[in-house]
């Protein structure tokens, strides 16, 4: 018994060398406290009552362990352990069971020093949150627990070192960001540079994780949410541009959305499917393109004279512009004329001068995608194109579909006379190669323009001869 106190002091000091956060009470050399990190391998589901709000927490407030080594320890008695948490998220029954575990371990060892083995056992149990699959706690703890989990996640991340998957340089976590959905890590500078460029150039479909591992996983490789872009952080004005461009793209691809007939406005009709964006920081989810295609609003019924379907009210033709608040008819595009007035659809050939000029420019200066027909214009590079809308590979010269696995075979086939060995034709862009010959729809436009000019030239020659 005489050597007991020395053994107790020696064991606490040894434990302190392993766990520097262990605090030995200077007033009682056989008393110590240790705060043990609780970071379960899988986030713990926590239900806060009475609201029944469910949160998944990656970190929970530390396990506070109080050690007291009595005189009979280690040979004749177990250590005295008390376990608490602040706030008290750990059930009292679980805390008591963990404390009793020290005695059970001491009995299993047949006496002796067990503190290190006991703490190691607690650390292992913490990985599964001590066997607790789901916690039910009072709502008063919610804010504190959520803030603690977020703070600990950030602090531990900041202390680690990561290799950025873009610049490949090792950087501290404080200069990096971990993607929420896939957990890939990049330095903040690379993320900001990439996403700012994508948004500035209008390539919003590229605002995704940059890791090659995400490229083939459609579930993971979704567009980054505005809320996450703000956390990186990307400047708020850039995120607002991203959100508005994404919304505009969805609306323009939706055949059920009608735009304001006022030429100076051209705003979209109000739609519950695409509400006006007020606060971008509240937009937490960013659906994939596949999910976007699954969501369809009810089709607008096209009504002409005497063709109104049974059960469809005339008020279904009423739309209101979200920008200028003009109330107009979706059938005839005139100002709202009331429920019982007959109207006819506007002739699609009735284009304004601006619309006709835009259409003429598009027909003459762009090549359509072979799949979705989106007009594309090349600014530089080869004639192997990839559609920014649907990622289809196609030939810029003739509009033909290209095999994604062998896109350049099209330009190396001697039988393909129109495009053979013309991969780099117009490498400086359309504006620098106005006389380049095209095939397909664009080639037909070129041919039509040529013969129109030729007909005018011949007519002018005839007129000159007659006057001469």
């Amino acid at each position: 018994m005489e050597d007991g106190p020395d053994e107790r002091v020696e064991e606490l000091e040894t434990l302190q060398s392993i766990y520097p956060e262990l605090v030995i009470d200077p007033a009682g050399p056989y008393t110590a406290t240790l705060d043990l990190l609780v970071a379960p391998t899988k986030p713990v589901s926590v239900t806060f009552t009475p609201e029944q709000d469910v949160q998944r927490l990656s970190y929970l407030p530390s396990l506070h362990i109080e050690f007291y080594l009595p005189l009979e320890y280690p040979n004749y008695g177990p250590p005295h352990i008390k376990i608490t948490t602040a706030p008290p998220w750990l059930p009292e029954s679980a805390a008591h069971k963990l404390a009793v575990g020290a005695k059970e371990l001491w009995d299993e060892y047949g006496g002796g020093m067990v503190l290190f083995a006991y703490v190691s056992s607690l650390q292992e149990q913490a990985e599964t949150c001590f066997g607790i699959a789901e916690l039910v706690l009072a709502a008063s703890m919610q804010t504190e627990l959520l803030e603690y989990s977020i703070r600990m996640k950030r602090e531990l991340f900041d202390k680690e070192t990561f290799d950025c998957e873009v610049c490949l340089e090792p950087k501290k976590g404080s200069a990096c960001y971990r993607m929420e959905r896939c957990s890939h890590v990049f330095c903040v500078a690379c993320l900001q540079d990439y996403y700012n460029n994508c948004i500035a150039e209008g390539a919003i479909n590229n605002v995704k994780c940059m890791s090659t591992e995400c490229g083939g996983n459609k579930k993971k490789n979704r567009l980054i949410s505005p809320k996450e872009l703000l956390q990186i952080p990307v400047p708020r004005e850039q995120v607002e541009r991203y959100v508005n461009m994404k919304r505009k793209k969805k609306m323009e691809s939706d055949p059920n959305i009608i735009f304001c007939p006022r030429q100076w406005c051209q705003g979209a009709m109000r739609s519950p499917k695409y509400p006006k964006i007020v606060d971008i920081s509240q937009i937490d989810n960013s659906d994939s393109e596949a999910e976007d295609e699954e969501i369809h609003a009810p089709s607008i019924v096209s009504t002409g004279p005497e063709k109104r379907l049974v059960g469809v009210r005339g008020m279904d033709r009423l739309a209101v512009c979200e920008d200028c608040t003009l109330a107009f008819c979706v059938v005839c595009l005139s100002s709202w004329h009331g429920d019982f007035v007959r109207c006819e659809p506007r002739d699609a050939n009735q284009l304004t001068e601006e619309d006709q000029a835009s259409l003429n420019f598009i027909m003459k200066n762009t090549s359509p995608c072979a799949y979705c027909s989106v007009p594309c214009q090349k600014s530089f590079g080869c004639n192997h194109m990839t559609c920014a809308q649907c990622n289809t590979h196609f030939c810029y010269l003739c509009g033909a579909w290209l095999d994604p696995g062998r896109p350049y075979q099209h330009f190396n086939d001697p039988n393909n006379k129109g495009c053979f060995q013309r991969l780099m034709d117009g490498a400086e862009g359309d504006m620098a190669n106005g006389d380049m010959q095209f095939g397909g729809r664009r080639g037909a436009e070129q041919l039509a323009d040529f013969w129109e000019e030729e007909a005018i030239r011949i007519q002018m020659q005839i007129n000159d001869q007659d006057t001469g």
Side-chain angles (χ1 to χ4, degrees):
M1 295 291 295
E2 295 180 357
D3 296 332
D6 292 336
E7 287 183 333
R8 290 180 288 170
V9 171
E10 181 181 354
E11 182 175 13
L12 286 177
E13 290 178 348
T14 302
L15 193 64
Q16 190 178 48
S17 67
I18 301 173
Y19 300 97
E21 58 272 25
L22 180 75
V23 178
I24 300 176
D25 187 355
Y30 311 121
T31 303
T33 59
L34 174 64
D35 288 332
L36 201 63
L37 179 67
V38 181
T41 305
K42 295 182 179 179
V44 180
S45 178
V46 183
T47 302
F48 294 96
T49 57
E51 290 80 1
Q52 300 299 314
D53 185 13
V54 179
Q55 299 287 342
R56 296 182 62 82
L57 303 183
S58 300
Y59 298 90
L60 290 165
S62 300
L63 211 64
H64 184 71
I65 311 170
E66 296 180 12
F67 301 94
Y68 172 65
L69 306 184
L71 184 62
E72 60 270 19
Y73 179 82
N75 297 322
Y76 304 102
H80 294 176
I81 304 294
K82 182 180 179 182
I83 291 180
T84 57
T85 58
W89 61 267
L90 185 66
E92 290 186 9
S93 58
H96 177 72
K97 183 178 179 181
L98 293 176
V100 172
K103 181 181 183 305
E104 294 175 349
L105 190 63
W106 184 84
D107 291 336
E108 181 182 342
Y109 277 41
M113 299 179 182
V114 297
L115 293 188
F116 175 72
Y118 175 65
V119 173
S120 298
S121 174
L122 289 179
Q123 285 183 310
E124 292 179 3
Q125 295 180 67
E127 294 180 358
T128 59
C129 195
F130 313 107
I132 302 173
E134 183 176 0
L135 285 169
V136 179
L137 302 174
S140 58
M141 299 186 193
Q142 181 170 1
T143 301
E144 186 174 355
L145 292 182
L146 288 176
E147 291 178 351
Y148 176 86
S149 182
I150 295 172
R151 184 176 69 253
M152 287 302 302
K153 187 176 182 179
R154 184 72 244 182
E155 289 179 359
L156 294 175
F157 180 79
D158 289 348
K159 294 176 182 178
E160 293 187 59
T161 300
F162 302 90
D163 290 330
C164 174
E165 295 192 31
V166 176
C167 64
L168 304 180
E169 295 182 4
K171 295 187 178 181
K172 296 295 291 184
S174 56
C176 296
Y177 180 81
R178 188 193 300 275
M179 308 303 291
E180 290 184 356
R181 185 174 289 112
C182 58
S183 298
H184 290 122
V185 177
F186 306 91
C187 70
V188 171
C190 287
L191 288 175
Q192 290 176 333
D193 184 57
Y194 176 70
Y195 292 140
N196 280 330
N197 286 337
C198 286
I199 296 172
E201 295 174 2
I204 60 172
N205 283 344
N206 293 332
V207 184
K208 303 176 181 179
C209 174
M210 291 186 285
S211 174
T212 54
E213 296 180 4
C214 280
N217 191 326
K218 293 183 179 180
K219 184 176 180 180
K220 287 186 177 180
N221 199 27
R222 297 176 183 173
L223 298 182
I224 306 299
S225 71
K227 188 174 182 179
E228 186 170 4
L229 288 175
L230 292 173
Q231 291 172 356
I232 289 175
V234 173
R236 191 177 186 88
E237 58 272 16
Q238 285 288 75
V239 180
E240 290 177 349
R241 171 178 166 84
Y242 165 70
V243 170
N244 289 325
M245 289 178 64
K246 184 183 174 189
R247 178 174 179 263
K248 182 179 179 182
K249 178 182 176 182
K250 289 181 181 179
M251 296 177 74
E252 289 179 343
S253 63
D254 191 335
N256 298 317
I257 296 298
I258 308 297
F259 292 87
C260 179
R262 287 175 170 171
Q263 294 185 14
W264 55 267
C265 177
Q266 294 292 297
M269 61 183 280
R270 292 177 183 172
S271 170
K273 183 179 178 182
Y274 308 106
K276 273 278 191 178
I277 297 168
V278 179
D279 186 0
I280 60 173
S281 63
Q282 299 302 315
I283 305 177
D284 195 19
N285 60 332
S286 188
D287 298 329
S288 65
E289 294 176 14
E291 288 177 327
D292 290 341
E293 294 173 359
E294 292 174 1
I295 304 174
H296 296 286
S299 299
I300 294 177
V301 179
S302 178
T303 58
E306 305 299 332
K307 292 183 180 180
R308 187 179 304 174
L309 299 179
V310 176
V312 176
R313 297 174 298 173
M315 290 296 291
D316 291 339
R317 298 176 291 168
L318 171 63
V320 178
C321 175
E322 66 178 12
D323 291 337
C324 70
T325 69
L326 171 69
F328 62 95
C329 174
V330 298
V331 177
C332 64
L333 299 183
S334 300
S335 297
W336 180 239
H337 42 59
D339 185 8
F340 300 102
V341 175
R342 296 180 180 178
C343 61
E344 297 182 3
R346 178 179 290 183
D347 189 347
N349 296 322
Q350 296 176 354
L351 299 178
T352 64
E353 292 185 7
E354 289 185 9
D355 292 338
Q356 188 64 55
S358 297
L359 180 61
N360 291 342
F361 180 86
I362 291 173
M363 297 291 286
K364 293 179 181 179
N365 297 281
T366 66
S367 296
C369 168
Y371 180 76
C372 67
S373 300
V374 165
C376 304
Q377 186 177 40
K378 184 180 73 173
S379 56
F380 64 89
C382 71
N383 291 313
H384 164 218
M385 302 291 286
T386 303
C387 178
Q389 177 75 18
C390 65
N391 292 325
T392 296
H393 297 253
F394 67 97
C395 174
Y396 190 66
L397 296 175
C398 68
W401 176 87
L402 301 182
D403 184 352
R406 298 180 298 171
Y408 301 106
Q409 184 181 12
H410 177 80
F411 303 96
N412 296 328
D413 185 0
N415 296 323
N416 187 13
K417 298 181 180 180
C419 301
F420 178 57
Q421 294 185 344
R422 295 186 62 194
L423 175 64
M424 298 306 297
D425 277 19
E428 298 180 4
D430 288 352
M431 297 299 101
N433 299 276
D435 58 347
M436 188 165 62
Q437 295 300 311
F438 292 87
R441 187 211 71 185
R442 191 168 178 181
E445 289 292 327
Q446 279 187 327
L447 191 62
D449 287 344
F450 170 79
W451 285 114
E452 182 180 355
E453 294 175 359
E454 190 69 11
I456 294 175
R457 184 185 64 80
I458 294 174
Q459 184 63 46
M460 290 180 66
Q461 285 184 347
I462 295 175
N463 293 339
D464 291 343
Q465 292 175 358
D466 291 343
T467 56

